[in-house]
Amino acid sequence: MLNTTSYYKTAIKLLGRNIKPKVEIYFDGAGSPPVTLGSDNVALIDPFLEEAQADGNNPLGVVSANEINITLRNDEQHFNPNNEDSPYYNKMHPNVLIKPYLGLQIEDLSFEWISLGYFYSTNWEAESDSIYAEVLCHDRLYDLGQKDVPLIPTMQNVTRYQMFETLFRALGLGSDNYEIDISLQSDTIPIGYFYDGKVKTVLSKLAEAFNCSVFCTRDNKIKVLSNCTVGASVITMSDSDLIKSSDMPQDFDSIYSDVTIRYYHHNIEDVTSVLTIDELDVSASGSTFTNLKFTLAPVAFVDHIRITDNPDISINYMAIGTWGMDISFDNSASTNQQIKLEVLGYPITTIENEITERDNTAYTLIGEKILDIDNPLIQLASDASALATVILPIVADPKGYVECNTRGDMSLELGDTTTVDDDTNKVGEIDIIPIRYDYTYDGGLACFIRGIKKSLREG
């Protein structure tokens, strides 16, 4: 929960609240003064979506960026990208830093401002016959997720914490740009490597294997939070203050009777050829070859590299990952040269195993319905069993989630344990861990909250 004054904590629960928006747009870069737009210029914020687990085929969710859509007054067509007289002409580009705020009027009639985060424009839209313009923005996790995973060598006996840290550092993030749950330092996997593909996919696989949530915080940090880290409640929302309606929906269609975890024992095989290119042309000035894929992969590490006996060709640089490599050659001759390249390394093979856990109550209700989790980063039987034990109560409970339509408290953050107290709608008093906030500001504030019952996370 963001730090706020006692005046804020009182005012946010009042029946009559005065909340207004403010948006800072950094058209000229993060280091330059922003254009600040107040309530006269900001017509609507819908949605402002924060989520620790986005919807996906896996009911445990996938990693997703937070999103905000801001509607601006455009009476003078300043936000029309075709208006050459606009002070913002040719500045409405992707990746413009935008910082939205909501302010709450407190006891002394001043406003206490709450940051909604750091966002970057994805799309600007302004129709010439409309007095409104819209800018769609995402947090830094969106752009990061679209990147390809860089070359990262295979690691051995690495902690879950180090897996996330290694990826973030390879992506150019400093230690002040991320926050990783220290509990992840306690568990080690024998062979650590990253999938070949987009960062979003890789983060989702890491989160699945290590039972984590990955999201961006309001202060622009990538946060990795173990789903086993559960704190005390930071706020009580009741039907007499913030809750308009709530429900604990009964959903038998989405539950499972069994969880099957496939885990993989990894073996490092003897050295062999993992890449051969018979004809590789090196220019007279030298050549660089990127993303050369190993034909036997994943590879634990490279033993040595052979090139044809050509004294004019030497290796200037190379970077080696699990799935391939980059290599640069110098050519001391004045003509193009052709070489044969062979890379010898230690490929990794796997042996698949699986364990299954069953919830007898769910099995009686719906019969056999299996949630399959297949992830090579789960490598030990003990890890697979522990994960199944943690997941099963969540996916087998038809009333595992609580949904609330609230008046909103913008100081709440993802992962903040919240007490719901609503006898009016027969939910009663229950602690939840929110996994989704969906805010709307249209002069007043509303927020839909979806949370998992804390008791299910605690096991």
Side-chain angles (χ1 to χ4, degrees):
M1 190 176 196
L2 297 176
N3 289 327
T4 57
T5 66
S6 59
Y7 301 110
Y8 174 93
K9 289 176 169 53
T10 298
I12 196 66
K13 291 189 174 184
L14 294 177
L15 182 61
R17 307 185 302 182
N18 185 6
I19 298 175
K20 65 181 184 180
K22 178 175 68 175
V23 175
E24 295 176 351
I25 306 178
Y26 291 77
F27 283 116
D28 298 316
S32 300
V35 172
T36 301
L37 304 175
S39 55
D40 291 340
N41 302 102
V42 180
L44 180 69
I45 296 176
D46 183 25
F48 166 42
L49 179 65
E50 295 182 298
E51 52 187 359
Q53 297 175 3
D55 291 332
N57 294 330
N58 185 338
L60 300 179
V62 296
V63 174
S64 177
N66 297 328
E67 174 184 314
I68 191 167
N69 193 72
I70 304 171
T71 300
L72 305 170
R73 295 283 305 191
N74 195 31
D75 305 76
E76 298 178 353
Q77 294 296 305
H78 281 172
F79 295 101
N80 186 328
N82 300 315
N83 181 8
E84 296 184 13
D85 295 325
S86 166
Y88 317 129
Y89 178 70
N90 205 28
K91 294 183 178 182
M92 288 172 278
H93 299 150
N95 295 317
V96 175
L97 173 61
I98 296 178
K99 297 181 184 179
Y101 301 82
L102 288 174
L104 173 67
Q105 191 174 43
I106 56 177
E107 190 176 55
D108 64 359
L109 302 184
S110 66
F111 281 81
E112 187 165 339
W113 293 96
I114 305 297
S115 169
L116 303 186
Y118 289 62
F119 290 86
Y120 302 86
S121 58
T122 306
N123 188 52
W124 302 79
E125 185 174 322
E127 297 180 5
S128 59
D129 60 349
S130 174
I131 61 170
Y132 298 107
E134 293 186 11
V135 55
L136 176 64
C137 315
H138 293 88
D139 64 28
R140 73 185 309 171
L141 194 54
Y142 179 84
D143 181 63
L144 202 67
Q146 307 306 308
K147 297 180 182 295
D148 292 321
V149 176
L151 289 173
I152 302 175
T154 302
M155 299 170 286
Q156 292 181 262
N157 298 317
V158 60
T159 68
R160 296 174 176 184
Y161 185 101
Q162 289 172 316
M163 287 288 288
F164 281 108
E165 184 175 52
T166 298
L167 178 60
F168 292 154
R169 288 183 174 179
L171 291 167
L173 300 181
S175 58
D176 58 339
N177 298 139
Y178 58 82
E179 180 183 341
I180 306 171
D181 198 319
I182 60 172
S183 69
L184 298 179
Q185 294 177 342
S186 303
D187 297 298
T188 301
I189 63 171
I191 304 292
Y193 57 92
F194 303 96
Y195 283 81
D196 188 28
K198 298 297 181 182
V199 170
K200 178 180 178 179
T201 301
V202 168
L203 283 174
S204 293
K205 281 294 184 181
L206 289 172
E208 177 186 69
F210 305 153
N211 192 24
C212 298
S213 297
V214 183
F215 53 91
C216 195
T217 63
R218 299 277 184 91
D219 58 355
N220 209 27
K221 291 183 179 180
I222 306 299
K223 185 169 185 175
V224 180
L225 181 65
S226 170
N227 291 332
C228 295
T229 299
V230 179
S233 176
V234 300
I235 188 174
T236 296
M237 291 185 168
S238 75
D239 48 5
S240 62
D241 49 47
L242 291 174
I243 294 177
K244 294 190 287 187
S245 66
S246 66
D247 190 18
M248 192 186 301
Q250 181 173 270
D251 185 1
F252 289 105
D253 288 340
S254 299
I255 68 170
Y256 294 83
S257 63
D258 300 69
V259 172
T260 293
I261 308 284
R262 290 188 178 83
Y263 63 99
Y264 293 81
H265 177 74
H266 287 58
N267 297 304
I268 299 177
E269 302 297 339
D270 293 336
V271 64
T272 188
S273 177
V274 296
L275 173 65
T276 300
I277 302 176
D278 291 325
E279 297 178 351
L280 196 63
D281 294 322
V282 179
S283 70
S285 59
S287 296
T288 298
F289 301 91
T290 60
N291 204 26
L292 297 177
K293 297 296 186 185
F294 297 137
T295 51
L296 284 179
V299 170
F301 50 91
V302 167
D303 185 70
H304 63 280
I305 297 173
R306 293 175 182 162
I307 57 176
T308 53
D309 188 16
N310 189 326
D312 297 321
I313 304 298
S314 60
I315 297 173
N316 173 269
Y317 162 83
M318 62 181 174
I320 298 171
T322 300
W323 305 95
M325 64 183 298
D326 297 343
I327 191 165
S328 177
F329 295 102
D330 286 335
N331 185 354
S332 60
S334 57
T335 59
N336 297 344
Q337 302 286 312
Q338 191 174 84
I339 62 170
K340 177 180 178 179
L341 172 69
E342 185 176 21
V343 180
L344 288 94
Y346 294 83
I348 298 170
T349 59
T350 60
I351 300 173
E352 178 183 321
N353 302 276
E354 68 177 45
I355 63 103
T356 298
E357 296 285 344
R358 168 166 290 176
D359 184 284
N360 290 323
T361 300
Y363 178 76
T364 300
L365 289 169
I366 65 170
E368 185 178 83
K369 184 180 177 184
I370 301 174
L371 170 63
D372 284 306
I373 294 179
D374 188 338
N375 194 318
L377 294 177
I378 306 171
Q379 299 176 6
L380 300 174
S382 57
D383 289 343
S385 179
L387 184 59
T389 300
V390 168
I391 291 173
L392 184 60
I394 299 172
V395 300
D397 189 339
K399 295 183 179 181
Y401 294 85
V402 175
E403 298 176 347
C404 303
N405 289 300
T406 77
R407 297 168 62 223
D409 180 349
M410 56 275 192
S411 70
L412 289 172
E413 298 182 280
L414 290 169
D416 283 342
T417 300
T418 299
T419 301
V420 174
D421 186 3
D422 185 4
D423 289 329
T424 302
N425 293 287
K426 310 303 180 186
V427 171
E429 184 174 328
I430 188 169
D431 284 350
I432 66 170
I433 300 173
I435 59 172
R436 181 174 303 160
Y437 297 116
D438 190 350
Y439 289 89
T440 297
Y441 174 82
D442 58 2
L445 183 65
C447 181
F448 171 78
I449 301 174
R450 178 174 167 83
I452 187 171
K453 292 192 297 190
K454 179 184 177 183
S455 58
L456 297 180
R457 282 276 181 88
E458 292 175 321

